[in-house]
Amino acid sequence: MDATHTDLLMRVEGMTCDGCAAAVTRTVQRLDPAAEVQVDRATGQVAIRTDAQALVVVEALTKAGYTATAMTG
């Protein structure tokens, strides 16, 4: 049986352009290549379906230069 995917909702500050949104997506997919990432730059929210833990995702995004806060997960 597959590992359970977790749906995370995060607030990510510092995304100012589509390049930032792509960087956030790449950062998450480095942790979990199968992750589904939906970035809403207007609200600063990122919806992620992943096997990675929320804390790990927050740490990776912080290292990438963004301020990330888990809203769920």
Side-chain angles (χ1 to χ4, degrees):
M1 188 171 185
D2 290 335
T4 356
H5 293 301
T6 305
D7 289 318
L8 305 174
L9 184 59
M10 304 212 158
R11 179 170 307 284
V12 180
E13 297 173 35
M15 295 184 296
T16 56
C17 64
D18 290 339
C20 294
V24 166
T25 300
R26 278 194 310 276
T27 298
V28 173
Q29 289 179 337
R30 268 190 221 114
L31 297 171
D32 176 10
E36 296 172 28
V37 183
Q38 294 178 333
V39 177
D40 184 341
R41 242 182 354 104
T43 63
Q45 293 184 354
V46 181
I48 305 166
R49 173 166 279 186
T50 181
D51 290 337
Q53 292 182 335
L55 248 163
V56 175
V57 174
V58 167
E59 287 175 4
L61 290 172
T62 300
K63 285 180 186 171
Y66 301 97
T67 303
T69 310
M71 296 171 68
T72 59

